[in-house]
C-alpha cells in the first residue's frame, strides 16, 4: 500500500475541473471499439452497487451497449488471502479516501489508527446530524455489507410503498429473482452449531425468552467457503469476525461475482473503474451528458475528465450519491426541470448501531458477517421495531473488555420506521451538496423510543445491558429521489425521458424493518423490467 500524504481532493476541484474542461475528454483505450470511437454510449449507469448491478445486467441482456462508471476499484479475491484490510490491521483498503479509521464515530476514539489515503471500500459520509456508511468499488455496498438478505413483511411493505407496487408480485417475481442470482441462503445448521456462531444462538435464545417472534434470514455468503475457513483451508475471515472491510476468504457473495460478472459476460457491458462522476446535464437531442474524473489509487484526478453522451442515464450511485448529483444538477440549471421532490424524503431506515453486554458467553469477535435471524417487535406499544445481529469487530470486542465494560457483548442493528424528513441542499459557495437529518425533531423521537423499548424488554428479560445506542450513524441511507414523487413508479425521473433512478434513492426512508439491499435490488429489477419493455430502449443514437 502506498504511504500517501497527498493533499485531499475537494469536491470543488472535481467540479471546477469538470466544468472548465467540459468537452475535452473522450473515451480512451480501455473501452470497447464502439465506445472508443465516439463519446456517445447508448446507456450509462453511474455506480455498481445493488441498483447499478441490476441495471447493468438487464441492459446487457437486452442487447444495450452500456458503460458503468464506478468511482472505486475492483476487488478480485487474491489467493494469498490479502485482498482486503482487516479490523486488526487496517490500512487504506478499508476506507474511501480517509487518513484514519472510523472508530471515533462509534465513540471509541482510542481505537483510531492512521491509514494511507486510498480508494478503499468503505465511505464515511458526514452529514449534518447523521454519519452515513456506504460502499465504494465494483459491487458497491455488497463489498462491505453483512450479507443479510431479508424481505419485509407484507403489511409493512404495503404501508410504506405506493399501493401500485404489488407485494404479491414482488414476492413471486422480483425477490426470488434477486435471491437466485445472489445465491443467498440461511446459515447451515452445522456451521451455526460451531463456537464461532455462539453469539447468534445466544441472541436467538434471548429473543425467545423476551417473547419476541423471530424468523431466519438468508445471507449472501458462500457457506462452503466458510466450511473451508473452519477446516483451515482458507484464510479465516467470516469466522474471524471480519466484515465491513471485505472478506479475504471470498465467502461474501458480492455483486462483482454474480450480477456484474453476468452483465459483463453479455459482451454489452463495460465497467470503467476509478471514474468518479462529478456532474450530469442535459445534452442536445434529448441526450444526457456525464462528466467523470479518472482517479488514481490515492484519489487524485488523472488528466482531463471523460464526457460521455448517452440516451439512457441510470443513476445508481447510492441514495446519497444519486441525490447529490440530482440536487446539484437542478441548482446549477444543468437539469432545471427536476421537481421539488428531488433531495427530499430521506431517512436511514431507522438503522441504529447497538452494542449489548452482560450476555452469557458469546464468543463475540468471531462468526460473521451477520446473525442468522431477525427479531420483530411488531406489538411494541410505541412503534414496530426489529433487531438483527451483525458481527462484532474483534478489536472492538477486545477494547470493550479492556475498558472494563460488562462482559460478553453482542453487536446489532436496531431497525425502525423513521419519518422521512431528511433532506439535501446545494451550497453554491462551496459547490457541495449536504445532507441534513433533523435528529432532534420530535417526530424522530418516537421511533427512537420504540427501539429503546424493545432493547429494554430484551435486557429486563435476560439480565443484559444496552451499552451503546448510536442514532447518529447509519449504514442504510434511503430516499432523495423517491418513487411516485421525484420519479414515477418505475424509477423514471419526472419530466426527463431517458433519465432513471434505480438505487436506494428511490425508497422513502424505510424498507419496513428489513435491511435494505434485498428490496433495493428487487425494486430495481421491477424498474428494469418495465423500462426495457416500454421505453423502446435501443442502441440507436
Ligand atoms: C457496513 C455496512 C453493512 C451493511 N450491511 C447490510 C446487510 O447486511 N444487509 C443489507 O441489506 N444492507 C446492508 N447494508 C446496506 C447496503 O449496503 C445498502 O443499502 C446498499 O448497498 C445500497 O444499494 P444502492 O444500490 O443504493 O447503492 P450502493 O450499493 O451504495 O452503490 C452505489 C455505488 O455507486 C458508486 N458511486 C457513488 N458515487 C459515485 C460517483 N459520483 N461516481 C461513480 N460512482 C459512484 C459507489 O462507489 C458504489 O459502488 C450495509 C451497509 C454498510 C455500509
Amino acid at each position: 500500500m502506498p504511504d500517501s500524504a497527498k493533499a485531499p481532493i475537494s469536491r470543488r476541484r472535481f467540479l471546477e475541473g469538470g466544468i472548465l474542461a467540459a468537452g475535452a475528454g473522450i473515451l480512451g483505450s480501455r473501452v470497447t471499439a464502439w465506445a472508443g470511437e465516439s463519446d456517445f454510449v447508448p446507456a450509462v449507469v453511474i455506480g455498481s452497487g445493488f441498483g447499478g448491478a441490476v441495471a447493468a445486467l438487464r441492459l446487457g441482456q437486452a442487447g444495450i451497449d452500456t458503460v458503468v462508471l464506478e468511482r472505486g476499484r475492483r476487488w478480485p479475491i487474491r489467493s494469498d488471502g490479502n485482498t482486503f484490510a482487516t479490523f486488526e490491521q487496517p490500512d487504506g483498503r478499508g476506507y474511501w479516501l480517509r487518513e484514519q479509521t472510523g472508530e471515533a464515530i462509534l465513540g471509541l476514539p482510542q481505537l483510531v489508527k492512521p491509514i494511507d489515503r486510498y480508494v478503499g471500500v468503505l465511505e464515511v459520509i458526514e452529514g449534518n446530524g447523521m454519519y452515513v456508511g456506504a460502499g465504494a468499488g465494483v459491487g458497491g455496498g455488497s463489498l462491505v455489507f453483512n450479507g443479510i438478505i431479508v424481505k419485509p413483511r407484507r403489511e409493512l411493505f404495503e404501508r410504506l410503498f405506493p399501493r401500485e407496487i404489488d407485494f404479491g408480485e414482488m414476492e413471486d417475481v422480483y425477490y426470488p429473482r434477486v435471491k437466485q442470482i445472489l445465491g443467498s441462503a440461511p446459515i447451515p445448521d452445522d456451521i451455526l452449531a460451531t463456537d464461532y456462531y455462539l453469539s447468534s444462538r445466544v441472541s436467538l435464545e434471548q429473543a425467545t425468552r423476551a417473547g419476541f417472534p423471530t424468523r431466519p434470514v438468508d445471507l449472501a455468503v458462500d457457506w462452503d467457503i466458510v466450511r473451508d475457513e473452519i477446516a483451515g483451508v482458507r484464510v479465516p475471515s467470516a469466522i474471524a469476525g471480519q466484515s465491513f472491510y471485505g472478506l479475504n476468504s471470498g465467502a461474501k457473495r458480492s455483486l462483482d461475482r454474480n450480477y456484474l460478472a453476468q452483465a459483463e459476460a453479455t459482451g454489452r457491458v463495460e465497467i470503467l473503474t476509478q471514474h468518479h462522476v462529478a456532474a450530469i446535464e442535459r445534452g442536445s437531442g434529448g441526450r444526457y451528458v456525464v462528466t467523470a474524473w479518472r482517479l488514481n489509487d490515492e484519489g487524485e484526478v488523472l488528466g482531463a475528465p471523460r464526457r460521455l453522451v448517452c440516451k439512457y442515464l441510470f443513476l445508481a450511485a447510492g441514495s446519497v450519491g444519486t441525490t447529490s448529483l440530482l440536487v446539484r444538477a437542478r441548482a446549477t440549471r444543468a437539469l432545471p426541470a427536476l421537481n421539488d421532490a428531488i433531495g427530499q424524503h430521506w431517512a436511514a431506515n431507522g438503522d441504529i448501531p447497538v452494542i449489548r453486554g452482560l450476555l452469557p458467553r458469546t464468543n463475540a469477535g468471531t462468526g460473521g458477517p451477520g446473525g442468522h435471524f431477525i427479531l420483530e417487535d411488531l406489538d411494541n406499544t410505541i412503534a414496530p421495531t426489529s433487531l438483527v445481529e451483525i458481527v462484532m469487530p474483534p478489536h472492538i470486542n477486545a477494547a470493550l473488555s479492556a475498558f472494563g465494560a460488562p462482559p460478553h457483548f453482542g453487536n446489532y442493528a436496531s431497525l425502525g420506521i423513521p419519518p422521512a424528513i431528511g433532506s439535501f441542499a446545494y451550497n453554491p459557495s462551496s459547490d457541495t451538496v449536504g445532507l441534513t437529518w433533523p435528529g432532534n425533531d420530535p417526530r424522530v423521537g418516537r421511533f427512537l423510543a420504540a427501539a429503546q423499548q424493545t432493547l429494554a424488554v430484551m435486557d429486563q428479560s435476560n439480565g443484559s445491558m444496552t451499552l451503546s445506542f448510536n442514532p447518529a450513524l447509519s449504514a442504510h441511507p434511503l430516499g432523495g429521489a423517491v418513487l411516485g414523487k421525484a420519479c414515477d413508479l418505475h424509477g423514471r425521473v419526472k419530466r426527463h425521458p431517458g433519465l432513471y433512478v434505480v438505487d436506494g434513492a428511490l425508497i422513502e426512508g424505510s424498507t419496513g424493518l428489513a435491511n435494505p439491499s434485498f428490496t433495493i435490488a428487487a425494486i430495481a429489477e421491477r424498474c428494469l423490467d418495465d423500462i426495457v419493455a416500454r421505453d423502446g430502449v435501443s442502441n440507436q443514437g
Side-chain angles (χ1 to χ4, degrees), residues 60-112:
Q61 287 177 333
I64 307 302
D65 291 331
T66 302
V67 164
V68 179
L69 296 170
E70 167 55 53
R71 65 180 171 173
R73 49 162 282 201
R74 288 182 191 266
W75 294 90
I77 298 299
R78 290 164 46 144
S79 57
D80 66 359
N82 191 22
T83 307
F84 300 107
T86 62
F87 289 128
E88 296 88 338
Q89 290 186 303
D91 58 41
R93 293 174 296 178
Y95 287 90
W96 178 252
L97 305 183
R98 273 175 73 90
E99 280 86 21
Q100 55 182 27
T101 57
E103 290 87 352
I105 299 158
L106 303 171
L108 294 164
Q110 307 91 325
L111 300 186
V112 169

Side-chain angles (χ1 to χ4, degrees), residues 46-52 69-72 122 133-137 139-142 144-149 244 275-278 316-319 321 325 475-477 503-505 515-518 520:
I46 303 174
S48 64
F50 285 90
L69 296 170
E70 167 55 53
R71 65 180 171 173
L122 179 60
S142 74
V144 297
F145 83 152
N146 297 98
I148 297 162
I149 295 293
F244 317 145
H275 277 63
H276 188 288
V277 174
S319 160
L325 286 169
H476 295 181
D503 61 5
N515 308 56
S517 63
F518 200 19
I520 292 170

Side-chain angles (χ1 to χ4, degrees), residues 502-527:
V502 291
D503 61 5
L506 280 179
I507 293 171
E508 193 166 344
S510 168
T511 47
L513 306 185
N515 308 56
S517 63
F518 200 19
T519 299
I520 292 170
I523 289 283
E525 287 280 12
R526 180 180 174 279
C527 292

Side-chain angles (χ1 to χ4, degrees), residues 2 73 97 117-120 274 295-300:
R73 49 162 282 201
L97 305 183
R117 188 179 167 82
Y118 189 71
V119 287
Q274 295 178 228
L295 307 182
N296 68 11
D297 288 350
E298 290 81 42
E300 295 170 316

Side-chain angles (χ1 to χ4, degrees), residues 295-311:
L295 307 182
N296 68 11
D297 288 350
E298 290 81 42
E300 295 170 316
V301 169
L302 292 171
R306 283 188 167 160
R307 271 168 56 95
L308 302 189
V309 178
C310 63
K311 201 167 150 199

